[in-house]
């Protein structure tokens, strides 16, 4: 089992998220209310702007109001609460503030959403106290000027989001691909089924192209007979000289992008409108490949899973990571090449891969089935239907023990 030992030793102990030093998406900031003791303050994170769906609350670490929140990826609304008398209730004189609100006036200012991706480490998320609780238990604007937020948050992710249109007659899923404008190298991908028209990507600042592709012919590649759309192109009968570029600056949060998959792909990448007009040729050889499939979860229930993709048999160099959805589905965008896929399940949900966690390899169902099998991908190809079954569990000694077959695993017939 030498093939396994190298890759496993490298995977063991690696965090399932990459950038935050705490092993989970992180927000660091301060509550601002000069000349007040903030040691009994806290920041509450909500999933909705109305602040009815509480995710969690994080106490201030000292009288200066500094706080640190370890959380999961998502979109959150932040509320700061200062319990001056320490009775664990919001009552007269206590302070409240909201991220994105500089003056308490619900008619003109609303709490701002903070989008947190999987690898986030966002700093300087400061929240000024802008209101106090009145005798009627309702917040009233703070007397005097609230503290000003002098610095902007750093580490804010750059977001691009939008919808795919022109797909009412399509049965095939649409793959939205984000490519670097300079060389069409892969950046991110989303698989949109018939019940989902929206996409959202968190990426580094830069220049990109956004494409939507549907394998209508179901031949495992994007080409003649398939559909295509590109952000910035609304009418393929008027061929663009070059594909439009989407420029994203640091911290940009751009929504409302639209990709109409109205282009019909013909031979040699020719793109035409539904009426057969148009002369633009898409360089299919420059497009990356898409691979998608399923991580089969064990019977004890779904846990955070990730697919790591390596180009070498020893699995020492990770080319890409693809988080699995709650149902186990994953999708990745890759340059043409040969890859080995490893699925990791964070069974104890501590953000790291270690004792008790599970591992599976593409091409084998158990540790006695031989070496993992690679997949080879060409340009503009689609490999769907990959299944990765958990094969081993990490022991307390850091070794891998075979995982007993579980007939009630997700996607496995019940006995």
């Amino acid at each position: 089992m030498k093939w396994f030992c190298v890759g496993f030793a490298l995977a063991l102990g690696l965090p399932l998220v990459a950038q935050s030093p705490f092993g989970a998406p992180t927000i660091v900031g301060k509550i601002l209310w000069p000349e007040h003791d903030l040691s009994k303050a806290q920041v509450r994170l909500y999933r909705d702007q109305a602040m009815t769906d509480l995710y969690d609350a994080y106490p201030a670490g000292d009288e200066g109001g500094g706080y640190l929140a370890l959380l999961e990826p998502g979109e959150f609304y932040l509320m700061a609460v200062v319990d001056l008398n320490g009775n664990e209730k919001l009552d007269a004189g206590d302070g409240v503030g909201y991220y994105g609100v500089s003056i308490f006036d619900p008619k003109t200012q609303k709490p701002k959403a903070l989008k947190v991706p999987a690898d986030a480490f966002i700093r300087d998320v400061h929240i000024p106290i802008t209101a106090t609780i009145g005798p009627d238990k309702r917040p009233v604007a703070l007397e005097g000027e609230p503290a000003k937020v002098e610095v902007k948050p750093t580490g804010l992710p750059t977001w691009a989001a939008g919808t795919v249109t022109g797909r009412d007659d399509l049965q095939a899923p649409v793959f939205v691909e984000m490519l670097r404008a300079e060389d069409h190298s892969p950046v991110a991908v989303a698989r949109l089924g018939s019940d989902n028209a929206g996409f959202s990507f968190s990426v580094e600042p830069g220049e990109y192209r956004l494409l939507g592709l549907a394998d209508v012919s179901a031949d495992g590649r994007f080409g003649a007979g398939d559909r295509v759309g590109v952000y910035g192109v609304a009418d393929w009968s008027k061929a663009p000289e070059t594909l439009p570029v989407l420029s994203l600056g640091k911290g940009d949060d751009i929504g409302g992008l639209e990709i109409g998959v109205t282009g019909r792909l013909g031979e040699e990448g020719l793109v035409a409108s539904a009426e057969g007009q148009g002369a633009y040729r898409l360089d299919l050889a420059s497009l990356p490949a898409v691979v998608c499939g399923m991580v089969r979860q064990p019977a004890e229930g779904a846990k955070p899973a990730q697919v790591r993709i390596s180009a070498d048999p020893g699995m020492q160099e990770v080319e890409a990571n693809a988080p699995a959805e709650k149902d186990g589905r994953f999708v990745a965008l890759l340059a043409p090449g040969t890859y080995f896929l490893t699925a990791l399940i964070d069974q104890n949900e501590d953000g790291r891969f270690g004792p008790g966690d599970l591992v599976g390899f593409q091409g084998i169902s158990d540790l006695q089935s031989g070496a993992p099998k690679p997949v080879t991908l060409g340009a503009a190809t689609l490999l769907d239907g990959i299944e990765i079954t958990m094969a081993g569990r990490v022991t307390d000694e850091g070794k891998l023990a075979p995982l007993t077959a579980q007939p009630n695993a997700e996607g496995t017939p019940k006995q």
Side-chain angles (χ1 to χ4, degrees):
M1 294 180 62
K2 291 182 179 179
W3 60 266
F4 166 74
C5 296
V6 175
F8 181 67
L10 193 54
L12 186 62
L14 288 177
L16 290 179
V17 291
Q19 295 182 2
S20 171
F22 301 102
T26 305
I27 299 172
V28 178
K30 185 181 292 185
I31 301 167
L32 305 178
W33 199 7
E35 301 179 4
H36 287 80
D37 181 355
L38 305 179
S39 58
K40 295 182 177 63
Q42 65 177 215
V43 174
R44 299 175 180 176
L45 273 64
Y46 294 85
R47 296 188 182 277
D48 62 324
Q49 192 178 54
M51 298 191 172
T52 60
D53 185 5
L54 178 67
Y55 169 75
D56 208 344
Y58 300 86
D62 52 41
E63 62 183 24
Y67 71 92
L68 182 147
L70 304 179
L71 59 161
E72 63 185 31
E75 182 173 291
F76 300 94
Y77 295 85
L78 282 62
M79 175 184 182
V81 175
V82 181
D83 180 17
L84 287 177
N85 59 14
N87 65 353
E88 300 183 357
K89 298 179 182 179
L90 265 182
D91 45 25
D94 290 343
V96 294
Y98 309 89
Y99 172 67
V101 172
S102 59
I103 297 176
F104 184 75
D105 183 358
K107 292 183 180 180
T108 60
Q109 293 196 21
K110 301 288 186 182
K112 185 179 179 181
L114 185 66
K115 294 181 178 179
V116 181
D119 58 356
F121 183 45
I122 306 174
R123 301 167 297 282
D124 298 327
V125 183
H126 298 341
I127 307 173
I129 296 301
T130 55
T132 55
I133 301 299
D136 61 354
K137 305 295 184 181
R138 295 178 179 274
V140 294
L142 192 70
E143 293 184 6
E145 290 289 330
K148 291 184 178 180
V149 177
E150 301 291 346
V151 296
K152 294 182 178 180
T154 58
L156 283 175
T158 298
W159 288 89
T163 57
V164 173
T165 61
R167 52 180 296 190
D168 292 343
D169 60 331
L170 284 180
Q171 299 297 319
V174 175
F175 293 91
V176 179
E177 300 182 2
M178 177 169 265
L179 314 175
R180 288 187 176 84
E182 59 182 356
D183 58 4
H184 280 193
S185 58
V187 177
V189 63
R191 182 186 189 276
L192 305 185
S194 58
D195 59 344
N196 182 15
F199 62 88
S200 180
F201 297 124
S202 176
V203 296
E204 295 294 324
E207 294 192 332
Y208 301 95
R209 290 191 169 98
L210 279 173
L211 283 70
L213 294 158
D215 183 21
V216 177
S217 58
D219 62 354
R221 62 179 299 108
F222 300 114
D226 296 332
R227 294 276 284 278
V228 64
V230 174
Y231 164 72
V233 179
D235 184 0
W236 288 103
S237 65
K238 301 175 182 178
E241 292 185 7
T242 60
L243 297 183
V245 171
L246 174 65
S247 296
L248 296 174
K250 186 177 181 180
D252 279 353
D253 188 349
I254 299 177
L257 304 177
E258 186 174 302
I259 301 174
V261 284
T262 57
R264 270 63 175 176
L265 273 169
E267 297 296 332
E268 299 181 351
L270 181 67
V271 185
S273 65
E275 293 74 27
Q277 300 173 333
Y280 184 83
R281 290 190 180 275
L282 182 64
D283 182 8
L284 297 177
S286 72
L287 298 184
V290 176
V291 58
C292 50
M294 176 76 71
V295 175
R296 294 300 181 188
Q297 294 272 4
E300 53 258 42
K303 300 289 185 178
Q306 184 183 92
V307 176
R308 286 185 175 161
I309 302 167
S310 306
D312 63 302
M315 304 174 211
Q316 298 186 46
E317 298 295 332
V318 178
E319 300 289 331
N321 289 302
E325 301 294 335
K326 289 183 178 180
D327 63 359
R329 295 183 185 275
F330 69 90
V331 59
L333 192 66
L334 301 166
T338 298
Y339 299 95
F340 296 83
L341 279 61
T342 305
L344 309 176
I345 293 183
D346 185 17
Q347 199 70 4
N348 55 13
E349 299 184 79
D350 63 352
R352 300 187 67 84
F353 188 67
D357 294 336
L358 309 181
V359 62
F361 303 93
Q362 150 63 21
I364 64 171
S365 58
D366 57 66
L367 296 183
Q368 310 305 319
S369 299
K373 296 177 175 56
V375 296
T376 299
L377 307 170
T381 56
L382 168 62
L383 178 59
D384 201 351
I386 292 289
E387 292 193 3
I388 305 177
T389 301
M390 293 301 100
R393 185 187 301 272
V394 185
T395 67
D396 291 339
E397 295 76 28
K399 299 180 180 180
L400 190 65
L403 189 65
T404 304
Q406 302 184 53
N408 294 328
E410 291 288 334
T412 313
K414 293 184 179 180
Q415 299 296 320

